[in-house]
Amino acid sequence: MHVPFSRAWRRCRRVLSASLLAAGCPTVGGQAVMEGVMMRNADVYALALRMPDGSIRARRLPWFSLTRCRLLKLPFVRGFPLLVETLINGVKALNRSAEALAEGEEEPLQRWQLALTMLMAVGMAVVLFVVAPHGLSLLMQRLGLGGAVEGLSFHLWDGFFKCCIFMAYIRVISLAPDIRRVFQYHGAEHKTIHAFESGQTVDADFAARMSRLHPRCGTTFLLFVICISIVLHAALVPLLLLYWTPEQAWIKHAGTLLFKIGLIIPISALAYELIRFAARMDDGVAATILRAPGLALQRLTTDEPDEGQLEVAVVALYEALGPEDGARVLTVPHSLLDDVPARD
């Protein structure tokens, strides 16, 4: 099946933007999708969408997991497999939302096409946040404004450019109307989770009074990844080059880039534990300082939702919890994506 490049590019962009919005939550967490919200509860997730006719439709699905093995659940090990499974499930939810909203206008992507979309998104992320900052830091060295890759100044430039590219990327994608809508649903997801965690009865009106910022947000996770990567790259790359000194410059830089890509595994593991620690901390000065950068960044990746978007998020929460656990979640009438009659 031929998939136009423009369609593949749109999906790749949506995967990258959605990865900013994936919550690093071990129980009830979520992600904004196209005109809807995905909510996860343990081994299942629910997808709720606002359809073009104004109705809300939802579906409950199994959560694909890489961490059923006890070893992969260990602290400082679980971060990377959780990141991978969140990306896989997020891409599936995003694809399902796009297909449902198209209502037959587009043919569904095959499994290999989904895998290709994910690989394109991961490749684009590596280019933007690993290769480009390294290349710009090398340019600073050539201009006499920074040192060699063995020195600290090179990695300070690398971190500076990484942060700039990250912020610029968020700003650029926010200009797209469909991504702006996703950011509103992101805010609705956060408000609904806050409402649920309060222990009170949850409905759209109550969720509207909650904050759109959440300490376990995937945006905060990515910020922690960037900050930890700056520290580890500055410490470990010079150590690597102390023992591995190729004569050709291009080999040295290629090897350094591969080393940085490999460090994504321990970096994501550390970032996951840090975000969990920050979320569990009692309110106070230390907690405020640790949470502040991520919460400030969420002001760019969330917008205030309207009542209709909050209704969709509440439906997603109810379907993820199920009738028993979701007894205190009050939804508006909605139907299921597999055409089960509407529930009141």
Side-chain angles (χ1 to χ4, degrees):
M1 181 192 309
H2 175 66
V3 179
F5 177 78
S6 60
R7 182 185 172 197
W9 169 252
R10 287 197 305 272
R11 289 183 182 269
C12 179
R13 185 193 66 186
R14 290 169 181 173
V15 169
L16 272 176
S17 61
S19 69
L20 296 173
L21 314 182
C25 178
T27 52
V28 176
Q31 175 182 312
V33 296
M34 306 307 298
E35 289 301 324
V37 172
M38 178 263 278
M39 289 281 189
R40 178 200 177 181
N41 176 36
D43 293 330
V44 300
Y45 75 91
L47 182 65
L49 305 174
R50 177 71 71 177
M51 304 304 291
D53 62 4
S55 64
I56 299 176
R57 301 176 70 185
R59 187 178 181 186
R60 199 166 190 249
L61 297 155
W63 178 268
F64 169 77
S65 178
L66 295 172
T67 53
R68 301 189 190 279
C69 171
R70 184 174 299 179
L71 177 63
L72 295 180
K73 293 181 180 179
L74 294 175
F76 299 100
V77 174
R78 58 192 172 184
F80 183 70
L82 282 170
L83 175 63
V84 173
E85 73 177 46
T86 299
L87 179 61
I88 292 173
N89 286 284
V91 171
K92 288 182 177 179
L94 191 67
N95 184 62
R96 286 191 174 101
S97 70
E99 289 175 0
L101 292 169
E103 294 186 322
E105 295 178 8
E106 291 184 0
E107 296 184 45
L109 294 183
Q110 301 297 319
R111 182 173 297 180
W112 69 268
Q113 292 168 332
L114 283 172
L116 181 60
T117 299
M118 189 180 303
L119 287 175
M120 288 175 61
V122 171
M124 184 176 171
V126 168
V127 170
L128 283 176
F129 303 118
V130 179
V131 178
H134 188 94
L136 290 170
S137 302
L138 185 59
L139 177 62
M140 292 297 103
Q141 177 191 350
R142 299 287 173 82
L143 295 175
L145 299 176
V149 68
E150 296 88 352
L152 178 62
S153 63
F154 185 96
H155 301 287
L156 292 178
W157 276 117
D158 184 90
F160 171 76
F161 287 124
K162 196 173 299 181
C163 291
C164 289
I165 291 171
F166 183 57
M167 298 296 291
Y169 177 78
I170 293 175
R171 180 56 183 161
V172 169
I173 65 173
S174 70
L175 299 177
D178 57 343
I179 300 300
R180 177 58 62 185
R181 294 280 297 172
V182 170
F183 284 1
Q184 289 179 289
Y185 278 106
H186 188 202
E189 172 228 325
H190 283 184
K191 284 174 172 282
T192 303
I193 291 176
H194 272 304
F196 174 71
E197 292 173 340
S198 73
Q200 305 298 312
T201 299
V202 180
D203 61 12
D205 289 337
F206 181 60
R209 300 197 291 270
M210 299 292 109
S211 171
R212 75 175 199 262
L213 312 179
H214 199 288
R216 290 197 308 270
C217 176
T219 308
T220 302
F221 173 78
L222 290 179
L223 182 62
F224 283 177
V225 165
I226 289 174
C227 293
I228 293 172
S229 71
I230 293 172
V231 175
L232 288 188
H233 290 173
L236 297 182
V237 171
L239 185 62
L240 168 70
L241 296 177
L242 182 64
Y243 295 97
W244 180 67
T245 55
E247 295 183 1
Q248 294 88 350
W250 73 270
I251 294 180
K252 178 168 67 175
H253 285 284
T256 299
L257 285 171
L258 289 175
F259 183 62
K260 287 181 177 180
I261 294 172
L263 284 177
I264 291 174
I265 296 176
I267 288 171
S268 60
L270 288 171
Y272 180 78
E273 301 305 325
L274 183 59
I275 196 173
R276 284 175 58 88
F277 174 74
R280 290 196 307 266
M281 290 178 68
D282 295 331
D283 292 340
V285 175
T288 300
I289 292 173
L290 191 57
R291 296 170 186 169
L295 295 178
L297 186 60
Q298 287 177 47
R299 295 187 181 276
L300 298 178
T301 61
T302 63
D303 274 341
E304 284 294 330
D306 58 31
E307 182 180 3
Q309 291 166 327
L310 287 165
E311 290 172 349
V312 172
V314 173
V315 168
L317 176 64
Y318 174 83
E319 292 294 340
L321 294 172
E324 184 175 346
D325 292 336
R328 62 182 175 88
V329 180
L330 307 180
T331 72
V332 297
H334 60 282
S335 62
L336 301 186
L337 281 171
D338 55 0
D339 297 326
V340 171
R343 69 176 74 229
D344 293 322

